Amino acid sequence: MHQLRLAPVVLLSVLGCKAPTEPAAPAPPPVVSTDMPLLERRPLSIADADLPDRFFSPAAVGPNGEVVYFTALGSQPIFRIVDSTGQRIGGFGRQGEGPGEFRLPLQLRVYGDSIRIQDFSRLVSIDYSMAGKYQGERNARILKTPLAWLRDSVDIWDLSPTGATATPAVVRQALDESKGRTVIPATDSGLQHLADVFRARPRPVIPYAAGAGRVYLADPYAYRIHSYDASGKPLAVFGRDLPPHFRGPQELAQVREAVLRAQRPVPGPNGRSMGGQDQGRRLDTLAKEITAYFHRTPLHVDRAGRLWVIGTTNDSTTIDVFADTTFLGRTTLPCFLLVTGYPAVLNGGWLLLECTLPDTADRRSELQLYRVLDPVRQPPKKDDA
């Protein structure tokens, strides 16, 4: 934590000015567990009256398995809270411009018994309790791409447009400040490499995680992870050597439909039809396109300091776990992870996934809730001698 000398603070107080604040540096890394965690799925049955209009995102999970999720701006209330079985235990929020009201809520996190939501239209950070009680809000002018939310601060990165050569630094700033400190400098070779990758293949956000005194960046096409300490010093580059990744049947069908939709003429000015994009050749090669091993919100640091990499293979969700650079194992879950929003949330002893349902289903997606368990180590046996 940065310490301010007394004299400047007293002077600022006398003048009636606000002392500048800097986001605190992350805590030093704990001893990282080398056990592969176990996942136990919990039955989550949400009543029809509490289901969202489209998707659950933004959603989050609390310390006791409570699930908080978005329904619709026109709903009363906008956000619902259910327990780990799906039983509704509360709700909060309405549409508007006043204190505690929402216009464009896109980020939701749970810290203990507090729920924090970032509204990107009102540019405020709004706090509610897990009981649904309004606890206040503050200005949060986050105008660049948020990579990770760290309670009272956020790591941001703003990649230049395609064709530009400048690579921006990753910066950590307090929610109510306009400037922050550099976490990873623009001169870092790993950051420069990822900038080149993402300019060639634009993506919504770079794979990134911060926690337990570590920062991680990842190349989703090569499965290479760059790790840094709390000061931004490079530590290691690691990952997995896997065969090329291709789309599964369900994802392939979705992409094919999107390509066909892009080719259809649409109404233009003066009632004239505007031709769609000619991507006929791509239809013949979709099944052969090499794709990313992981997509949205793939990197997470758990309470034991382990890094989770949440990806996809053959329309299922894969979870690879690392202790520092050591690969501990993979778990595969029956979930076709949603490709929009923030479909994966890890908090304490809980994992929440939003999964795409087949076209024949009544809904577009479902939530899956898992309890994170660490294996119990048996005490060493005493020698019989």
Side-chain angles (χ1 to χ4, degrees):
M1 179 178 296
H2 296 276
Q3 295 182 347
L4 297 176
R5 291 178 294 178
L6 179 59
V9 174
V10 174
L11 178 60
L12 287 169
S13 299
V14 172
L15 295 176
C17 299
K18 179 183 176 184
T21 59
E22 292 186 22
V31 177
V32 179
S33 172
T34 57
D35 293 325
M36 177 65 183
L38 307 175
L39 293 177
E40 176 185 83
R41 185 172 179 179
R42 296 296 180 90
L44 189 66
S45 179
I46 299 175
D48 290 345
D50 291 322
L51 291 172
D53 285 354
R54 299 183 65 201
F55 302 114
F56 292 89
S57 183
V61 59
N64 299 308
E66 311 97 328
V67 177
V68 187
Y69 60 91
F70 175 81
T71 56
L73 279 178
S75 294
Q76 293 289 342
I78 291 177
F79 289 92
R80 307 292 165 89
I81 309 172
V82 298
D83 63 18
S84 60
T85 69
Q87 181 71 29
R88 180 174 172 178
I89 56 177
F92 61 91
R94 64 181 181 182
Q95 186 175 7
E97 297 285 350
E101 295 178 338
F102 299 95
R103 296 292 296 174
L104 187 61
L106 293 181
Q107 289 275 0
L108 188 159
R109 292 94 62 208
V110 174
Y111 303 105
D113 191 42
S114 296
I115 302 168
R116 177 160 293 174
I117 301 166
Q118 178 72 25
D119 192 295
F120 280 80
S121 175
R122 295 187 56 222
L123 295 178
V124 293
S125 184
I126 305 173
D127 291 344
Y128 278 85
S129 71
M130 195 61 76
K133 183 179 179 180
Y134 173 62
Q135 295 182 322
E137 65 180 48
R138 62 170 130 173
N139 292 332
R141 294 182 61 81
I142 309 302
L143 303 177
K144 296 182 179 180
T145 304
L147 297 177
W149 299 86
L150 305 170
R151 192 157 194 142
D152 294 324
S153 62
V154 59
D155 288 1
I156 57 176
W157 190 59
D158 190 20
L159 182 63
S160 303
T162 302
T165 57
T167 297
V170 175
V171 175
R172 179 167 299 165
Q173 71 177 55
L175 294 180
D176 52 359
E177 299 288 340
S178 59
K179 295 182 179 180
R181 67 176 180 87
T182 297
V183 178
I184 302 177
T187 55
D188 178 75
S189 60
L191 188 61
Q192 290 179 347
H193 165 73
L194 290 173
D196 292 340
V197 170
F198 279 66
R199 288 192 185 101
R201 297 178 171 182
R203 296 175 57 84
V205 65
I206 188 172
Y208 182 95
R214 292 286 185 269
V215 174
Y216 300 94
L217 299 168
D219 180 344
Y221 297 97
Y223 205 132
R224 284 295 174 267
I225 302 166
H226 300 253
S227 64
Y228 305 80
D229 68 9
S231 67
K233 176 183 176 181
L235 296 177
V237 180
F238 61 98
R240 297 195 63 194
D241 295 322
L242 299 174
H245 185 271
F246 301 97
R247 297 183 180 92
Q250 191 172 351
E251 183 181 4
L252 185 61
Q254 284 189 350
V255 176
R256 185 179 297 277
E257 173 58 29
V259 172
L260 289 172
R261 189 164 51 247
Q263 292 187 125
R264 298 168 188 158
V266 295
N270 303 322
R272 297 179 179 178
S273 296
M274 299 177 61
Q277 302 175 13
D278 185 9
Q279 300 190 51
R281 293 182 179 179
R282 190 184 176 202
L283 290 173
D284 298 330
T285 61
L286 282 179
K288 300 178 181 179
E289 286 183 358
I290 297 177
T291 59
Y293 294 99
F294 35 89
H295 299 283
R296 298 187 67 91
T297 60
L299 304 185
H300 304 261
V301 181
D302 69 11
R303 56 186 175 179
R306 294 167 297 210
L307 176 68
W308 292 39
V309 182
I310 301 179
T312 61
T313 184
N314 199 29
D315 296 333
S316 297
T317 294
T318 58
I319 299 177
D320 293 343
V321 181
F322 294 83
D324 290 327
T325 62
T326 301
F327 174 64
L328 300 181
R330 165 173 284 195
T331 300
T332 302
L333 302 175
C335 167
F336 178 31
L337 207 60
L338 195 69
V339 295
T340 61
Y342 301 89
V345 179
L346 180 66
N347 185 19
W350 299 90
L351 172 68
L352 182 69
L353 302 176
E354 184 167 6
C355 311
T356 304
L357 294 175
D359 294 337
T360 55
D362 296 333
R363 299 199 49 76
R364 296 190 177 190
S365 67
E366 68 170 2
L367 292 178
Q368 292 185 9
L369 181 64
Y370 293 85
R371 188 78 167 109
V372 181
L373 304 172
D374 281 305
V376 177
R377 290 191 174 187
Q378 299 295 330
K381 295 182 179 180
K382 295 183 179 180
D383 294 336
D384 294 334

